[in-house]
Amino acid sequence: MNEDMTSSSQEKPMKVSVFPGMNFWWAIQSDNFPDAFPDGTLWAPLRGSSGQRVASWDGLHNVRPGDLVLHYSRPAIRGISRVATLPAPGFPPPRGYKEPADTEGTLVLTDPVYEVHIPWKDVLDILPPGQGPLTAIRTLNRGYFYNLDSEGALQLLQQAGLGITDDPDEGRHEAVSADQYFGGPSDRWTLGAVRTEQRFLRNQQLQLRGSFCSLCGHSFPEELLVAAHIKPRSACSEKERMDTRNVSMLACLFGCDALFELGYVVVAESGVIEAGKPGPGQVGDRIEGLVGRKCRAHDERSRGYFAWHRKTHSGKLIKQSQRTPDLPQHPSPS
């Protein structure tokens, strides 16, 4: 590695942007921090084992994109992340959570910012007792997710060696259409949220099915696979949006992702890949190489999503075939 680059990166100050209206949160993750923090997931069940509401779980409902989360894993704060999505209904992520896979809950995706180390002693010196994660006798609450006093949170960030900037553009991204990721149709989102959801969906599929393209079946490095929505989120019901395990699949960047999305290939009821719309030249050769293979992501739970995709693109082909062909123009007889 270039020594100058190493020195430059080490000298670059770590900064975190704080803008008006944002909130600070404390997540207690002593058991699942090694998995949940890098994966960018915050999740809690809707109800306890006896059907009761749990206040520290319900706190997830109040987070908003841009908020900062301080992640505590005994005996220190070990990470800082920024909230990327609004809270949405969701089943537990595949890594870091012990609840059964069909447990209904609330899911928030985050973008990890820094790993830090703020000892418990510093926390006690800074945060006010009887608020947020601290009890009146200055012990840690036995819960999960708490709102943090803003002044105390800023001091903790500074204690971690982070520079605070009020630049409203620091760490922000251009807004894009809301139909691409978690949240309702009226929500404003960012490119950061798109990247965060893509990471979550891809990690989930990697855990479930390994690093294989669901269409060509080849194994690839993770960065050459994307989580492709079988049925677009804009067309999904709220229940289908929760079904992240089955409504998406891994597809490689060597053509399979685009061929499926554009309808050049579809997946039959049997799970076998079939040709969709015709492709010219090398596109046709690529389609021919996929036809007849078994789609790795097709099973009883994902079958309906593949049927939607097949029906949608078949409908487009029918409409195209029903168009009146352009006839050659002949001169009128004189």
Side-chain angles (χ1 to χ4, degrees):
M1 182 179 291
N2 187 295
E3 292 183 4
D4 292 337
M5 291 179 60
T6 304
S7 175
S8 175
S9 63
Q10 288 176 343
E11 293 174 0
K12 183 179 179 180
M14 297 192 301
K15 293 184 178 180
V16 61
S17 58
V18 174
F19 30 87
M22 66 172 289
N23 291 309
F24 299 90
W25 304 91
W26 173 288
I28 299 177
Q29 295 178 304
S30 291
D31 294 330
N32 69 349
F33 176 83
D35 293 323
F37 179 73
D39 286 354
T41 63
L42 294 168
W43 181 87
L46 293 180
R47 304 277 180 174
S49 57
S50 302
Q52 80 280 14
R53 300 296 293 264
V54 179
S56 69
W57 295 352
D58 287 348
L60 276 181
H61 300 157
N62 300 318
V63 303
R64 293 295 178 267
D67 289 354
L68 283 178
V69 182
L70 281 66
H71 300 259
Y72 176 82
S73 178
R74 190 175 293 108
I77 296 173
R78 295 178 54 190
I80 308 292
S81 71
R82 192 175 297 279
V83 174
T85 69
L86 285 170
F91 298 116
R95 297 206 321 153
Y97 300 88
K98 300 177 181 179
E99 288 78 6
D102 60 351
T103 304
E104 294 188 353
T106 302
L107 176 66
V108 172
L109 300 184
T110 66
D111 192 13
V113 178
Y114 297 114
E115 288 192 27
V116 297
H117 184 84
I118 309 174
W120 176 244
K121 177 184 179 300
D122 294 341
V123 172
L124 291 178
D125 290 340
I126 292 172
L127 292 185
Q131 297 183 31
L134 292 188
T135 67
I137 59 173
R138 306 182 69 80
T139 59
L140 186 65
N141 267 314
R142 298 186 63 184
Y144 173 46
F145 199 74
Y146 299 93
N147 187 239
L148 266 183
D149 168 75
S150 296
E151 183 178 344
L154 289 173
Q155 290 184 47
L156 288 172
L157 294 177
Q158 293 170 335
Q159 187 70 22
L162 302 179
I164 307 298
T165 174
D166 60 359
D167 182 355
D169 295 323
E170 181 77 21
R172 290 194 176 188
H173 305 279
E174 180 184 359
V176 296
S177 172
D179 62 6
Q180 298 181 44
Y181 34 84
F182 284 102
S186 63
D187 300 324
R188 284 181 61 85
W189 297 93
T190 65
L191 289 174
V194 176
R195 289 194 295 269
T196 300
E197 188 196 17
Q198 172 61 213
R199 182 181 66 240
F200 167 73
L201 292 175
R202 186 178 68 173
N203 287 346
Q204 188 176 63
Q205 291 298 318
L206 287 168
Q207 289 292 316
L208 293 171
R209 297 190 173 98
S211 57
F212 296 89
C213 175
S214 297
L215 296 173
C216 69
H218 296 151
S219 177
F220 292 102
E222 295 179 11
E223 61 266 26
L224 297 178
L225 294 166
V226 298
H229 279 92
I230 302 168
K231 181 177 181 179
R233 294 198 70 260
S234 58
C236 288
S237 66
E238 191 65 29
K239 184 176 181 180
E240 289 172 334
R241 291 183 182 188
M242 290 176 63
D243 192 19
T244 55
R245 289 178 174 82
N246 303 305
V247 77
S248 64
M249 66 176 178
L250 289 177
C252 72
L253 293 173
F254 291 94
C256 288
D257 177 42
L259 290 175
F260 182 82
E261 181 179 352
L262 298 174
Y264 284 104
V265 294
V266 296
V267 177
E269 184 73 13
S270 63
V272 174
I273 299 170
E274 297 180 343
K277 67 181 182 182
Q282 292 184 352
V283 176
D285 295 339
R286 178 66 173 171
I287 294 171
E288 186 177 347
L290 294 175
V291 169
R293 298 187 62 90
K294 181 74 166 62
C295 176
R296 294 175 60 91
H298 185 278
D299 56 27
E300 289 296 325
R301 292 165 294 187
S302 62
R303 176 175 293 169
Y305 302 122
F306 283 108
W308 184 95
H309 175 268
R310 185 172 64 252
K311 181 179 179 181
T312 299
H313 287 283
S314 296
K316 291 178 181 178
L317 291 176
I318 292 172
K319 289 181 181 179
Q320 290 174 355
S321 66
Q322 290 175 344
R323 292 176 182 170
T324 302
D326 295 329
L327 298 177
Q329 299 297 314
H330 298 289
S332 301
S334 56

